[in-house]
Amino acid sequence: MAIYHIVMFAFKATVSAEDIKTTCDIGLHLGEKCIHPTTKATYVKILGCGKENSIGNRQDGITHCLVAKFENEEDRKYYLESDPAHREFVLSVVNRVEKIQVVDFTPGEF
């Protein structure tokens, strides 16, 4: 069953617009760069990455979001723990953000 992985973050005020764009571009290309270790095929679908634009005024400082989809728990586990492309993305984000939240869910599980 599919798992959705949502990463919400707030960039530090000192991070330039160019660095924010570079970071989001890396996130957008994860779907092409994340290669499964056994099948040698891409295994993560990036549904989007960009600046938040909610009109609900409940962002609590969050400025950007990345949404990914995995087909199963094994793929998500590999992505989070071992995938070199994901590690590159984490390294591009970690020193540029002041806040990060991650939420995963499986549709239909309540």
Side-chain angles (χ1 to χ4, degrees), residues 22-90:
T22 298
T23 302
C24 289
D25 285 345
I26 293 169
L28 282 169
H29 292 289
L30 284 172
E32 303 159 12
K33 291 184 175 185
C34 291
I35 306 298
H36 195 278
T38 55
T39 66
K40 306 299 183 208
T42 58
Y43 69 97
V44 58
K45 181 171 184 172
I46 299 300
L47 302 176
C49 182
K51 187 174 181 180
E52 82 80 29
N53 61 12
S54 174
I55 60 172
N57 200 26
R58 295 181 182 247
Q59 301 86 336
D60 195 27
I62 295 298
T63 61
H64 290 75
C65 186
L66 177 130
V67 180
K69 179 182 174 186
F70 301 94
E71 291 305 317
N72 54 59
E73 174 60 32
E74 178 185 303
D75 287 352
R76 176 179 64 173
K77 183 174 174 60
Y78 175 75
Y79 174 81
L80 293 175
E81 296 177 359
S82 304
D83 192 293
H86 177 252
R87 286 185 185 180
E88 176 188 357
F89 177 68
V90 170

Side-chain angles (χ1 to χ4, degrees), residues 9-25:
F9 40 97
F11 284 97
K12 294 177 182 176
T14 57
V15 177
S16 71
E18 183 178 319
D19 284 344
I20 291 172
K21 182 182 181 327
T22 298
T23 302
C24 289
D25 285 345

